């Protein structure tokens, strides 16, 4: 019978266990969606043969946009006609992923009507991801989405959908308004988001504090992480309560401080803040006793990426302390200068972090007119071979091989 | 005299048409070529506006093959239609 689920002994293995299972979800959707039924058959065959059966569609999209749709076709269209086209749509999520249930229902209704009904909430960039529709459904989906107040996200060589942690909306550690900055950047970079013009993708991620709940330091070209520059706030009474409650402050807090800047004499907790590395460990452990300082802002870092052309990179410091103030013109001006240099000199598929590695951080900073700061040195106490041109005098060049 | 976005769009369209099937052009390539051809008459902003025109009126489309390109609308090899 056409409506019966295909026989999928290999996929069924992935339903076992207590964790969520995408196979379970596809089977659920398959009750109403022929696309999901064929998807099960195609996947089972892929698992059996250990071969992917998707072809990349490079030209599908909606009129006027260069991003937001990732084209997929199956190479077995006769056998699985309902997944012959299986395009993915990325939709710009609201900052911090806050929805009303009405908004979620609207999204689901649009998707049930035009696509497979399968979603991924959310993709790794942060977007709402609609999985699987035909080419001719793209424009109707797009127009219904825009009518409901949604827009497509980024894909390809463009600014990818900016994303952020819940920030001050729900979290007391937020050192700046991640939601406001994310919304502002999203609106400001609409052109760059929908019309790819870069050598490769460019991601912004905003985290309210160094806990970095959106992993911006590893997953965005520009990571904007909340930070404070004064002293950690200590409530000594609460510290005492933690000690009385049985917490081993010496072992679990002081002993794990990477800055080795905490001292606990059994009565009083002291922090040498000039050595604090802002790792959040102590604050996370003693939530009632410690808080970030009061002079809050953000550290702007640049360059992280997952391994594709080159290996993985973490972002490194660009602006050690920045006070985010709407309309954030100072940040946008700097980003524009960086984009100009990268667009001018970057190779195809070269992320900005790789570009900096190729041309050298010093040259990059000079071209972008960004002041050099000691915090840019990744390992300040470990590498003595760092110097800057203006401090480099003729005589210094006449070193022997031992550098003396 | 400064060029208009329409004039640049026409010049870009010709470049894309001439290159079709031979070389995929990125938006950045088109910008560079335009600025080289009309050094005192165009800037990046105008090039951006010209690309927007080309794509919005359907004369060209964005494509993605490992990177993003500007091409003439065409039927792609992978399509199952
Ligand atoms: S990154 Fe910090 S501010 Fe943002 S949600 Fe996580 S803990 Fe809270
Ligand atoms: S934030 Fe980290 S480095 Fe700073 S005092 Fe606490 S544990 Fe130490």
């Amino acid at each position: 019978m056409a409506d019966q689920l295909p026989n999928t002994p290999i996929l069924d293995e992935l339903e076992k266990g207590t964790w969520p299972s995408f196979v379970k979800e596809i089977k659920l959707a398959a009750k109403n969606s022929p696309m999901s039924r064929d998807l099960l058959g195609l996947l089972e065959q892929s698992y059996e043969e250990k071969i992917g059966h998707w072809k990349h569609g490079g030209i599908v999209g909606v009129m006027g946009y260069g991003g937001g749709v990732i084209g997929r076709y199956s190479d077995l269209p006769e056998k699985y006609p309902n997944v012959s086209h299986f395009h993915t749509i990325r939709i710009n999520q609201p900052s911090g992923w806050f929805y009303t249930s009405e908004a979620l229902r609207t999204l689901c209704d649009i998707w049930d009507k035009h696509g497979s009904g399968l979603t991924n909430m959310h993709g790794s960039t942060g977007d709402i991801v609609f999985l699987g529709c035909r080419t001719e459904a793209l424009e109707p989906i797009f127009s219904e989405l825009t009518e409901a107040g949604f827009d497509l996200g980024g894909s390809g060589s463009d600014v990818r959908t900016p994303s952020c942690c819940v920030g001050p909306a729900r979290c007391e550690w937020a050192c700046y308004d991640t939601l406001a900055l994310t919304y502002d950047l999203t609106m400001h970079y609409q052109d760059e988001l929908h019309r790819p013009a870069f050598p490769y993708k460019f991601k912004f991620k905003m985290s309210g504090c160094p806990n970095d709940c959106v992993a911006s330091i590893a997953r965005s070209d520009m990571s904007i992480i909340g930070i404070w520059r004064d002293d950690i706030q200590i409530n000594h009474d609460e510290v005492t309560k933690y000690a009385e409650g049985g917490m081993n402050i010496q072992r679990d807090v002081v002993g794990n401080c990477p800055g080795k800047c905490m001292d606990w004499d059994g009565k009083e907790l002291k922090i040498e803040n000039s050595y604090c590395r802002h790792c959040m460990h102590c604050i996370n452990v003693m939530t009632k006793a410690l808080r970030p300082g009061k002079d809050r802002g953000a550290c702007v870092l640049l360059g992280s990426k997952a391994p594709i052309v080159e290996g993985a990179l973490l972002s490194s410091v660009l602006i050690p302390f920045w006070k985010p103030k709407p309309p954030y013109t100072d940040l946008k001006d700097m980003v524009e200068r960086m984009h100009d240099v990268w667009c001018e000199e970057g190779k195809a598929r070269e992320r900005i972090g790789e570009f900096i590695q190729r041309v050298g951080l010093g040259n990059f900073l000079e071209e972008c007119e960004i002041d050099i700061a000691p915090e840019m040195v990744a390992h300040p106490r470990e590498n003595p071979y760092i110097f800057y041109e203006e401090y480099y005098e003729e005589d210094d060049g006449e070193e022997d091989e031992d550098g003396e | 005299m400064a060029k208009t976005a329409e004039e640049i769009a026409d010049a870009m369209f010709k470049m894309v048409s001439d290159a079709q099937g031979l070389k995929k052009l990125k938006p950045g390539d088109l910008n560079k070529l335009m600025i080289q051809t009309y050094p005192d008459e165009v800037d990046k902003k105008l090039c951006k506006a010209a690309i927007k025109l080309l794509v919005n009126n359907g004369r060209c489309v964005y494509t993605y093959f490992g990177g993003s390109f500007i091409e003439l609308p065409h039927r792609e090899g992978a399509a199952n239609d």
Side-chain angles (χ1 to χ4, degrees):
Chain A
M1 229 170 67
D3 286 0
Q4 251 175 5
L5 295 188
N7 192 25
T8 54
I10 305 178
L11 288 182
D12 295 350
E13 289 295 313
L14 299 173
E15 286 188 276
K16 295 178 183 163
T18 49
W19 40 84
S21 155
F22 72 92
V23 175
K24 239 180 234 168
E25 298 301 324
I26 301 176
K27 283 188 178 174
L28 211 62
K31 287 184 185 157
N32 303 313
S33 150
M35 232 178 195
S36 297
R37 268 199 297 278
D38 271 4
L39 178 63
L40 285 168
L42 182 100
L43 272 184
E44 180 73 16
Q45 182 162 341
S46 279
Y47 277 39
E48 220 171 82
E49 298 170 350
K50 299 188 173 66
I51 294 173
H53 284 290
W54 297 120
K55 296 186 285 181
H56 169 78
I59 199 169
V60 285
V62 299
M63 182 81 161
Y65 278 26
V69 178
I70 295 102
R72 287 285 178 278
Y73 296 100
S74 143
D75 67 0
L76 300 168
E78 286 83 22
K79 191 165 178 194
Y80 304 107
N82 294 306
V83 289
S84 148
H85 299 201
F86 201 76
H87 310 313
T88 292
I89 304 179
R90 289 191 186 147
I91 298 143
N92 198 137
Q93 80 285 9
S95 293
W97 301 288
F98 287 100
Y99 300 91
T100 59
S101 49
E102 193 192 338
L104 286 174
R105 280 200 192 92
T106 306
L107 287 168
C108 292
D109 287 347
I110 294 171
W111 193 228
D112 276 341
K113 186 167 146 198
H114 296 288
S116 71
L118 296 171
T119 65
N120 173 4
M121 304 290 272
H122 296 80
S124 58
T125 304
D127 305 86
I128 302 159
V129 180
F130 282 0
L131 291 157
C133 72
R134 294 189 59 82
T135 307
E136 56 273 22
L138 290 170
E139 290 292 348
I141 292 168
F142 179 52
S143 87
E144 286 181 37
L145 283 171
T146 47
E147 202 159 307
F150 286 93
D151 196 358
L152 298 194
S155 70
S157 305
D158 62 9
V159 164
R160 296 300 181 85
T161 315
S163 80
C164 64
C165 73
V166 292
R170 293 201 60 190
C171 182
E172 58 192 312
W173 303 146
C175 293
Y176 74 98
D177 192 341
T178 51
L179 306 146
L181 178 60
T182 302
Y183 181 73
D184 188 286
L185 293 180
T186 306
M187 299 315 279
H188 181 78
Y189 289 109
Q190 279 296 294
D191 223 26
E192 288 76 4
L193 213 154
H194 299 307
R195 296 179 185 84
F198 295 151
Y200 206 18
K201 61 185 109 171
F202 189 91
K203 299 183 181 182
F204 289 100
K205 284 194 197 293
M206 278 50 78
S207 280
C209 81
N211 277 336
D212 197 8
C213 291
V214 288
S216 67
I217 199 155
R219 296 170 67 176
S220 59
D221 299 271
M222 178 159 279
S223 325
I224 304 178
I225 302 177
I227 201 133
W228 62 95
R229 62 179 165 183
D230 54 351
D231 296 350
I232 291 177
Q233 302 180 64
I234 307 180
N235 180 331
H236 291 285
D237 292 341
E238 291 293 344
V239 174
T240 308
K241 280 189 201 160
Y242 274 113
E244 286 169 359
M247 177 182 276
N248 188 335
I249 293 178
Q250 183 59 41
R251 187 192 64 200
D252 296 337
V253 183
V254 176
N256 287 330
C257 167
K260 309 228 178 309
C261 57
M262 305 186 89
D263 185 57
W264 170 244
D265 60 6
K267 283 195 188 110
E268 199 188 354
L269 183 69
K270 287 188 196 142
I271 300 174
E272 176 46 60
N273 281 277
S274 60
Y275 279 83
C276 171
R277 297 192 185 174
H278 300 82
C279 75
M280 290 294 289
H281 168 71
C282 59
I283 297 171
N284 289 337
V285 177
M286 304 174 85
T287 49
K288 288 185 181 162
L290 304 176
R291 311 179 63 78
K294 289 180 180 160
D295 186 9
R296 299 177 179 190
C299 178
V300 181
L301 303 98
L302 191 69
S304 77
K305 57 169 281 291
I308 294 190
V309 181
E310 300 280 337
L313 293 172
L314 291 179
S315 286
S316 44
V317 174
L318 192 69
I319 310 285
F321 189 82
W322 172 61
K323 281 271 186 198
K325 278 199 206 92
Y328 316 105
T329 315
D330 46 352
L331 181 84
K332 290 170 189 165
D333 287 349
M334 182 188 73
V335 170
E336 191 177 337
R337 293 198 298 276
M338 287 175 359
H339 282 167
D340 280 350
V341 173
W342 177 46
C343 284
E344 193 65 35
E345 308 290 342
K347 294 186 196 167
R349 302 195 75 197
E350 185 173 52
R351 295 284 284 271
I352 201 160
E354 293 164 336
F355 173 67
I356 293 170
Q357 287 208 322
R358 179 164 64 81
V359 301
L361 181 63
N363 294 330
F364 177 78
L365 295 172
E366 201 176 321
E367 284 293 311
C368 302
E369 298 160 34
I370 297 169
D371 290 338
I372 288 165
E375 288 87 345
M376 290 172 181
V377 180
H379 302 281
R381 293 173 187 83
E382 289 164 32
N383 187 348
Y385 298 109
I386 300 278
F387 64 89
Y388 297 118
E389 222 166 300
E390 60 256 47
Y391 306 130
Y392 182 73
E393 288 170 12
E394 278 300 303
D395 288 352
D396 296 341
E398 293 166 11
E399 294 175 340
D400 65 24
E401 281 162 359
D402 297 327
E404 289 169 347
Chain B
M1 214 179 72
K3 296 272 178 205
T4 64
E6 285 76 12
E7 286 171 316
I8 297 303
D10 286 341
M12 283 180 170
F13 182 74
K14 188 171 180 318
M15 275 177 185
V16 173
S17 309
D18 292 346
Q20 189 83 357
L22 302 171
K23 184 180 186 325
K24 287 187 194 299
L25 294 170
K26 296 191 288 289
D29 298 334
L30 289 175
N31 294 355
K32 273 185 200 162
L33 287 167
M34 283 297 127
I35 292 168
Q36 263 169 29
T37 317
Y38 309 107
D40 301 322
E41 295 167 283
V42 298
D43 57 14
K44 268 186 265 181
K45 227 170 152 183
L46 191 66
C47 291
K48 219 167 144 178
I51 291 178
K52 200 167 170 177
L53 270 179
L54 275 181
V55 175
N56 282 354
N57 62 25
R59 292 170 84 193
C60 290
V61 288
Y62 284 105
T63 61
Y64 183 79
F65 295 95
S68 297
F69 300 93
I70 303 275
E71 295 184 64
L72 298 184
H74 62 280
R75 186 196 173 276
E76 66 180 317
N80 297 329
D81 34 40

